[in-house]
Amino acid sequence: MRIAIVHDWLVTYAGAERVLENILQCYPDADIFTVVDFASRDDCKFLADKKVTTSCIQKLPFAKKRYRGYLPLMPLAIEQLDLSGYDLILSSSHAVAKGVLSGPDQLHLSYVHSPIRYAWDMQHQYLREAGLVKGLRSMLARMILHYMRLWDLRTANGVDEFAANSAFIARRIWKVYRRESRVLYPPVDVEAFAVGAAREDFYITASRMVPYKKMPLIVEAFAAMPEKRLLVIGDGPEMEKCRRAAGPNIELLGYQPSEVLRNYLQKAKAFVFAAEEDFGITPVEAQACGTPVIAYGRGGALETVLGPESASPTGLFFDIQTKEAIIEAVARFERDVTLFSPQACRDNALRFGAERFRTEFMAWVDDAIERHQRGISR
């Protein structure tokens, strides 16, 4: 079979690129298609010898730094990628990748990180965070997102089968597309982490500092607990808010390489996580280091962290995104700290390893090919 893999855009090495890397390990001869490719081959070493076909947006002005600004053109751009010579199309999509055109004898399987978040249930949050609540620019943004919703819904019909990266996203897929999906948790490189030998008296949080991650909220909560030390790893547009909120008990370390993050995760008392994530890789990495997690009880965290009611708990949850809720959760954690063993955390993290993902992904593809071939033979 000739296989094409479609990825939204290649600009960095993050969770979606880890999925792409593992899919390529399953199907190393597949060809890659994407809207733009500006990823450093030092970061994305797995692409070093691969030919990547890009869309017309690749050559537009300022695309390298402002590719997201071309979002209104991306539906058109992704549809111009010619995949007519392929038998199997595998799209890894959180935006437009699933919108490629395919024919009746082609099998299109889409691994969905999420339907376009900012076009569907998170539209109002994104508009608030972007300062687009009212005015002409707000009206234009809402019109574009309305168009994106219509296009996103239409292109779901071109997908033969869906897989979701969590049960949370499977519910979102059903809500938006009214389609069933198989849950395949994304690959986490748990083997790169190990349980730390000794714990120190500090908490840690780490993430890109973008609004929905709620990093300033965590900083505000710990600023109100001056007796508790917090290390903050990450950088982004919310860094200035974190600086303004931080007290002397909080260290803002900015971006750090993975080995530094791993070292701190192995020593921390707990990892604090306030985002509503589709899946959330860093809480799994923390558990792989034997570190329990204090997380917002929505989204993927409910699937990757085992609460106190579990036989072998690996963390606990807070119900609302407020500093008071985080403060109360930290107090509960310290009161019940003996419930959480490093080995239980590690064992739970092993459920999300990369080898498990590749095995499940190939089984899903093989099953879908068999069903597709039976359908054609009829």
Side-chain angles (χ1 to χ4, degrees):
M1 300 184 79
R2 289 201 66 198
I3 302 174
I5 299 174
V6 189
H7 189 75
D8 287 304
W9 46 72
L10 286 164
V11 295
T12 187
Y13 184 75
E17 287 67 42
R18 294 187 195 189
V19 170
L20 174 62
E21 179 179 17
N22 278 270
I23 294 175
L24 277 170
Q25 289 182 37
C26 299
Y27 307 102
D29 295 328
D31 295 327
I32 304 172
F33 294 80
T34 188
V35 172
V36 294
D37 175 17
F38 298 115
S40 161
R41 293 314 190 248
D42 290 333
D43 294 333
C44 296
K45 294 182 175 64
F46 68 96
L47 294 174
D49 60 346
K50 299 295 294 184
K51 178 180 181 296
V52 178
T53 301
T54 57
S55 77
C56 57
I57 293 177
Q58 178 80 16
K59 296 182 179 180
L60 292 181
F62 312 111
K64 186 170 185 177
K65 290 190 176 181
R66 300 191 179 276
Y67 64 95
R68 290 179 187 271
Y70 287 110
L71 180 67
L73 293 181
M74 287 186 185
L76 175 64
I78 204 77
E79 290 176 350
Q80 304 318 304
L81 296 175
D82 183 5
L83 276 66
S84 58
Y86 294 89
D87 306 294
L88 174 63
I89 300 167
L90 303 172
S91 60
S92 173
S93 184
H94 60 79
V96 298
K98 76 164 187 31
V100 290
L101 302 179
S102 59
D105 291 336
Q106 292 177 294
L107 177 61
H108 180 185
L109 307 178
S110 188
Y111 184 83
V112 175
H113 306 271
S114 176
I116 308 173
R117 300 177 194 88
Y118 35 86
W120 291 100
D121 55 304
M122 297 183 74
Q123 171 189 290
H124 302 294
Q125 177 182 334
Y126 272 87
L127 290 174
R128 284 195 301 272
E129 291 167 351
L132 294 171
V133 177
K134 57 185 178 179
L136 186 59
R137 291 177 65 240
S138 173
M139 183 180 298
L140 179 60
R142 292 170 194 271
M143 290 173 61
I144 291 170
L145 293 176
H146 176 71
Y147 155 68
M148 293 296 295
R149 281 191 292 276
L150 296 176
W151 177 85
D152 192 36
L153 184 58
R154 181 193 65 76
T155 57
N157 293 323
V159 176
D160 293 287
E161 295 191 21
F162 283 100
N165 75 350
S166 66
F168 174 64
I169 292 306
R171 294 194 298 275
R172 187 177 275 168
I173 289 170
W174 174 255
K175 185 79 172 181
V176 171
Y177 305 140
R178 281 297 189 261
R179 296 283 297 277
E180 299 284 355
S181 54
R182 183 183 296 198
V183 175
L184 301 176
Y185 291 118
V188 181
D189 189 10
V190 292
E191 299 304 328
F193 299 82
V195 175
R199 298 285 152 179
E200 297 181 11
D201 190 20
F202 69 87
Y203 293 84
I204 187 170
T205 187
S207 178
R208 289 179 296 120
M209 291 190 180
V210 292
Y212 85 95
K213 299 284 189 178
K214 304 294 182 183
M215 295 290 274
L217 183 67
I218 298 172
V219 172
E220 289 172 15
F222 276 83
M225 298 182 284
E227 73 285 1
K228 303 187 195 307
R229 183 177 169 219
L230 174 70
L231 299 187
V232 181
I233 292 178
D235 203 352
E238 297 276 273
M239 174 60 97
E240 189 53 41
K241 287 185 180 179
C242 289
R243 287 198 184 100
R244 291 198 298 267
N249 60 319
I250 297 166
E251 295 180 55
L252 300 175
L253 301 177
Y255 169 80
Q256 296 293 328
S258 56
E259 58 270 20
V260 175
L261 171 62
R262 182 166 57 244
N263 179 57
Y264 283 125
L265 287 175
Q266 290 172 329
K267 296 176 181 178
K269 292 172 69 173
F271 179 79
V272 186
F273 187 68
E276 181 181 330
E277 278 283 19
D278 307 329
F279 174 76
I281 288 176
T282 315
V284 178
E285 293 175 338
Q287 292 173 84
C289 294
T291 303
V293 177
I294 301 171
Y296 177 48
R298 293 283 300 275
L302 290 174
E303 300 170 57
T304 60
V305 180
L306 303 176
E309 71 285 351
S310 169
S312 300
T314 66
L316 53 78
F317 304 103
F318 52 95
D319 294 331
I320 53 175
Q321 291 169 308
T322 64
K323 73 175 185 179
E324 292 79 13
I326 296 174
I327 292 168
E328 192 273 333
V330 170
R332 275 191 289 129
F333 172 79
E334 297 200 341
R335 186 173 64 244
D336 300 329
V337 68
T338 56
L339 290 175
F340 313 104
S341 78
Q343 192 57 52
C345 293
R346 174 73 184 175
D347 290 344
N348 185 51
L350 292 176
R351 297 191 294 130
F352 305 101
E355 185 176 350
R356 180 270 324 158
F357 170 81
R358 292 192 293 271
T359 300
E360 292 182 357
F361 189 88
M362 287 189 291
W364 171 55
V365 172
D366 289 345
D367 290 347
I369 290 172
E370 183 180 345
R371 286 189 291 273
H372 181 65
Q373 290 175 341
R374 284 202 307 266
I376 291 177
S377 66
R378 288 200 299 269

